[in-house]
């Protein structure tokens, strides 16, 4: 595969123990060509691409996000049991600005992971990861002769519903998905008025998007928010979660393409994720937009790794 790099041990270094106390000792590095379908496993796949961010006039550098997240996750303690596997299968990366080809490769890879009974966790990379990721899930469900009923839950300040008349970008993934799928089930948590123009709000209304604005997306309203999340999930068979790190306040996530101090905090995201995980409908998840170039003290990478840590350890809390 031309735009693929196998996993490397250099990303998984940390304190050594004799009891597999840390995730770098737990993780298995398996190239895609050697991946078997015999056992379920949390499976990390990187999307080392920021061409979509570049096209969306953002700060490039997110292509280095996947490995930065791995390096932080590696040092974290392992509380998984012996029968739960964690696999790293490497990175899909973008060659010569060919974003659409990279998204197609990502889609095919996600379909293959799901076909092989894996639990995909994608790490990016620009938020254009969402278009390839969604299509990979959809193609897997279609291969099982099931009509896909997929709900998208996006933790984000932005709708990412820009039209793609000038091509795909990190701002267009959900517009593309909406135009190719009927019905379109989309819940966006953390939307900010200062991050979306009037046209985007109108587009969201036309596509019947459900959203919670930043002023409401707070821990003190967690009961109401979880009620809305459950109501949304009841409408669909599967949930795809995507977390855009630029939705968080820059106090937690300075290393993104579009930072803002007005973003949301990790506590309400973790509370919401607990509700989603408890539904048993989550089919796949990604975290997007980490840009190590602007990441003060590795703060955003630590946030992303902590979110992933919470996800893979959810059933052990």
């Amino acid at each position: 595969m031309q735009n693929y790099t196998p996993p490397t041990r250099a990303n998984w270094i940390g304190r050594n123990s004799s009891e597999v106390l840390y995730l770098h000792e737990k993780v298995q590095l398996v190239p895609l060509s050697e991946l078997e379908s015999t056992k379920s496993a949390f499976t990390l796949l990187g999307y080392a691409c920021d061409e979509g961010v570049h096209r969306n006039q953002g700060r490039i550098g997110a292509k280095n996000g996947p490995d930065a997240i791995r390096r932080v996750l590696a040092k974290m303690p392992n509380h998984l049991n012996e029968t739960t596997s964690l696999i790293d299968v490497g990175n899909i990366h973008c060659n010569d600005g060919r974003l659409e080809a990279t998204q197609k490769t990502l889609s095919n890879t996600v379909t293959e992971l799901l076909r092989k009974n894996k639990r995909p966790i994608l790490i990016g990379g620009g938020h254009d990861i969402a278009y390839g990721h969604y299509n990979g899930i959809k193609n897997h469900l279609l291969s099982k002769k099931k009509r896909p009923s997929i709900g998208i839950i996006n933790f984000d300040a932005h709708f990412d519903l820009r039209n793609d008349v000038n091509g795909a970008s990190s701002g267009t993934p959900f517009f593309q998905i909406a135009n190719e799928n009927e019905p379109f089930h989309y819940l966006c948590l953390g939307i900010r008025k200062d991050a979306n123009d009037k046209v985007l709000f109108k587009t969201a209304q036309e596509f019947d998007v459900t959203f919670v604005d930043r002023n409401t997306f707070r821990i003190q309203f967690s009961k109401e928010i979880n009620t809305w999340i459950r109501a949304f999930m009841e409408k669909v068979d599967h949930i795809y979660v995507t977390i855009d790190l630029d939705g968080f306040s820059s106090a937690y996530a300075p290393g993104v393409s579009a930072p803002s101090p007005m973003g949301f905090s990790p506590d309400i995201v973790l509370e919401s994720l607990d509700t989603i995980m408890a539904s048993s409908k989550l089919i796949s998840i990604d975290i997007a937009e980490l840009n190590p170039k602007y990441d003060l003290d590795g703060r955003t990478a630590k946030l992303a790794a902590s979110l992933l840590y919470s996800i893979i350890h959810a059933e052990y809390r």
Side-chain angles (χ1 to χ4, degrees), residues 188-258:
C188 207
L189 302 172
I191 287 295
R192 297 203 327 267
K193 260 194 173 178
D194 66 337
N196 299 272
D197 60 36
K198 291 180 181 180
V199 172
L200 290 169
F201 275 96
K202 183 180 178 183
T203 303
Q205 184 177 26
E206 290 170 352
F207 285 131
D208 197 24
V209 174
T210 305
F211 68 92
V212 177
D213 67 28
R214 167 64 186 98
N215 290 334
T216 305
F217 192 55
R218 300 172 184 269
I219 195 66
Q220 57 263 45
F221 302 123
S222 61
K223 184 176 179 180
E224 293 87 347
I225 291 164
N226 283 327
T227 298
W228 297 329
I229 291 172
R230 291 188 188 98
F232 176 81
M233 294 193 295
E234 284 178 6
K235 303 175 188 175
V236 297
D237 298 320
H238 305 278
I239 294 294
Y240 154 46
V241 167
T242 179
I243 304 171
D244 190 327
L245 292 165
D246 70 18
F248 290 90
S249 166
S250 53
Y252 307 103
V256 293
S257 173

Side-chain angles (χ1 to χ4, degrees), residues 45-49 62 66 91-92 99 102-103 106 123-126 128-129:
L45 172 66
Y47 180 72
C49 175
N91 291 335
I92 304 296
L99 175 61
T102 305
Q103 290 175 312
L106 182 70
I123 44 180
D128 38 284
I129 191 175

Side-chain angles (χ1 to χ4, degrees), residues 121-174:
I121 300 176
L122 275 58
I123 44 180
H127 210 181
D128 38 284
I129 191 175
Y131 181 68
H133 195 170
Y134 179 92
N135 282 320
I137 297 167
K138 175 183 171 182
N139 293 338
H140 167 69
L141 295 174
L142 285 172
S143 72
K144 299 172 71 174
K145 294 184 169 55
K146 284 187 65 177
R147 177 177 172 80
S149 177
I150 308 166
I152 304 167
I153 299 180
N154 179 25
F155 295 87
D156 201 344
H158 308 93
F159 285 117
D160 287 341
L161 285 169
R162 296 187 182 280
N163 73 60
D164 60 343
V165 65
N166 294 317
S169 76
S170 62
T172 67
F174 304 110

Side-chain angles (χ1 to χ4, degrees), residues 3-5 45-52 61-68 70 90-96 99 102 106 122-126 128-129 287 290:
N3 52 344
Y4 168 70
T5 303
L45 172 66
Y47 180 72
C49 175
D50 55 16
E51 173 61 22
K63 65 183 178 182
N64 297 315
D67 287 348
R70 287 182 175 101
N91 291 335
I92 304 296
H93 52 84
C94 190
N95 289 328
D96 303 321
L99 175 61
T102 305
L106 182 70
L122 275 58
I123 44 180
D128 38 284
I129 191 175
I287 293 182
L290 170 61

Side-chain angles (χ1 to χ4, degrees), residues 5 9 19 26 30 35 44 53 65 74 78 81 111 121 124 153 173 176 192 197 205-206 214 229 241 254-255 302 306:
T5 303
R9 182 54 63 180
E19 302 173 70
K26 173 73 171 179
V30 183
L35 194 64
L44 294 169
V53 175
N78 167 40
N81 62 35
T111 299
I121 300 176
I153 299 180
Q176 294 172 270
R192 297 203 327 267
D197 60 36
Q205 184 177 26
E206 290 170 352
R214 167 64 186 98
I229 291 172
V241 167
K302 292 170 185 174
S306 294

